[in-house]
Amino acid sequence: MITIAVTGEPASETRVALNPEMVKKLVGLGAAVKIVSGAGLRSRFLDDAYKAVGATIVGSAQEAASGADILLKVRRPALDEIQALPK
């Protein structure tokens, strides 16, 4: 199974890398999706919407990236997010 992480974006960015509909499709294909709590708020996607389609809500970017195969972002990832990814 592939694990996909989605972390928050800078305050100036209103988009999020995945919306709940895309999470539903990815989970349906067998992927695990971890999303940082509140990552979709500026795009008006609540954590409950992500949970309802099978995403796991986590508390930090490091927790999301830990063990992930892919990190999805709208903007360039921060160095600490990259360092949290497995080698």
Side-chain angles (χ1 to χ4, degrees):
M1 173 188 318
I2 194 165
T3 301
I4 300 167
V6 177
T7 59
E9 299 292 337
S12 62
E13 181 58 69
T14 60
R15 298 172 294 172
V16 64
L18 286 178
N19 62 40
E21 185 61 30
M22 287 305 303
V23 170
K24 180 179 178 180
K25 290 178 183 182
L26 291 167
V27 169
L29 292 170
V33 180
K34 297 191 294 184
I35 300 179
V36 174
S37 181
L41 287 179
R42 286 191 297 272
S43 295
R44 301 191 178 162
F45 299 123
L46 301 177
D47 290 348
D48 288 342
Y50 287 111
K51 280 187 212 175
V53 294
T56 300
I57 305 301
V58 297
S60 69
Q62 289 74 24
E63 190 177 351
S66 177
D69 299 297
I70 299 170
L71 172 62
L72 294 180
K73 301 276 295 178
V74 173
R75 301 284 178 136
R76 182 180 349 198
L79 183 58
D80 62 330
E81 292 173 326
I82 294 169
Q83 291 173 337
L85 291 168
K87 299 279 182 211

